[in-house]
Amino acid sequence: MRWLWVTPLVLVAALIAGTAIGETPIPVDTILKVLANQLLGADYPVDRIDEGIIWNYRLSRAVVAACCGTSMALAGVVLQALLRNPLADPYLMGISAGASTGAVAVAVAGLGAGMLSLSLGAFAGALLAFGIVVMLAHAANSGVGGGRGVQAAGAIILAGIAGSQLFNALTAFIITKSASAEQARGIMFWLMGNLSGVRWADATLAVPAALFGLLVCLWHRRSLDAFTFGADSAASMGIAVRPVRGMLIIAMALVTAVMVSIVGAIGFVGLVIPHAMRFIVGSQHTRLVPATALAGAVFLIGSDILSRTLVSGQVLPIGVITSLIGAPAFALILVRGKRH
């Protein structure tokens, strides 16, 4: 566990890289001077344009990317443990799709008459989507807590796919019915994952949400170990199965909803990162949770760098980058897992 001491250094290095690398490269010493000016009240001479790019655009973007990557990856860890299914993640289980629908319903259709925030709308949509997925799985006579192995795994994944398609269709219907042409273009770009508009106001929401998700996972790391052997085994170890499972699902739905309301739905992070970290640090959640949190943050910062630099003069949706990287990576994980 000595490697845990280097995780802050790795995260800081990734944030600096996310700030320095772009269509216009910025020297690291300039970044450090801007940070000293902004955080410590120093008075280093720095070009105002560079300072604006670093502080108001790239650094806030890198911080939000790190929070989003951490949250999505941890949500994947929790869902895979609770459902005992290696394919479970917020995107595939319909949580991201439901959160997108809730956010769009508030932003475009005016759901809640101005009384609901974007994050609350996304949270309600995420919980509704996951509830429908669980009911569909139960209707297929398969429990989500274990007992029927392959049947339960297949049922929950098929239910998640059905729920995702349902809420994606609802989102498209709301956009078509209520959004103007300009709104529709912006929302469709946002739904694929968009960090272009994030600023420090978004970071003040993303950072507490990511820390909350991390602390919840660390606090329940022993319970997550027990759930990987099934609900019955967890109960035999003295864990209050229903309250703990319900709280973990609600916590991950909340964190996912906050991130989706800020950057849109991003796939493959919660699916690929936990698998990759299991190969490296093992399955014990004492090591898996912090390793996954760090890897998710670094992965999404790197994906954001690629989204800004891959095509000259254009910014790609970050969801496109994560899918281009995540799909072959997951295929490789599946092949290696089968061989072992």
Side-chain angles (χ1 to χ4, degrees), residues 196-288:
S196 296
V198 300
R199 296 294 182 266
W200 284 114
D202 301 299
T204 57
L205 182 61
V207 171
L211 288 175
F212 169 73
L214 177 60
L215 290 175
V216 168
C217 291
L218 289 173
W219 184 262
H220 290 284
R221 60 191 184 278
R222 303 296 185 189
S223 299
L224 290 171
D225 283 338
F227 273 112
T228 57
F229 297 101
D232 292 339
S233 297
S236 68
M237 296 177 188
I239 295 170
V241 172
R242 288 188 178 180
V244 171
R245 183 165 55 190
M247 194 203 70
L248 284 170
I249 288 174
I250 289 173
M252 292 304 105
L254 174 61
V255 170
T256 300
V258 170
M259 298 306 162
V260 169
S261 70
I262 296 172
V263 302
I266 300 174
F268 281 101
V269 180
L271 192 60
V272 172
I273 299 301
H275 281 286
M277 289 302 100
R278 285 191 189 95
F279 279 121
I280 297 173
V281 302
S283 298
Q284 283 193 346
H285 287 83
T286 299
R287 295 190 297 268
L288 182 60

Side-chain angles (χ1 to χ4, degrees), residues 27-78:
V28 173
D29 64 323
T30 303
I31 295 172
L32 297 178
K33 288 177 181 177
V34 170
L35 291 176
N37 290 347
Q38 294 290 337
L39 300 177
L40 303 177
D43 193 23
Y44 290 108
V46 180
D47 182 81
R48 287 192 175 184
I49 295 177
D50 286 345
E51 186 165 10
I53 292 173
I54 292 169
W55 184 255
N56 296 320
Y57 177 64
R58 288 191 186 174
L59 183 58
S60 59
R61 182 172 178 143
V63 168
V64 172
C67 293
C68 184
T70 292
S71 301
M72 294 295 184
L74 289 177
V77 167
V78 170

Side-chain angles (χ1 to χ4, degrees), residues 110-124:
L111 183 67
M115 298 179 65
L116 288 178
S117 68
L118 207 63
S119 296
L120 283 177
F123 178 54

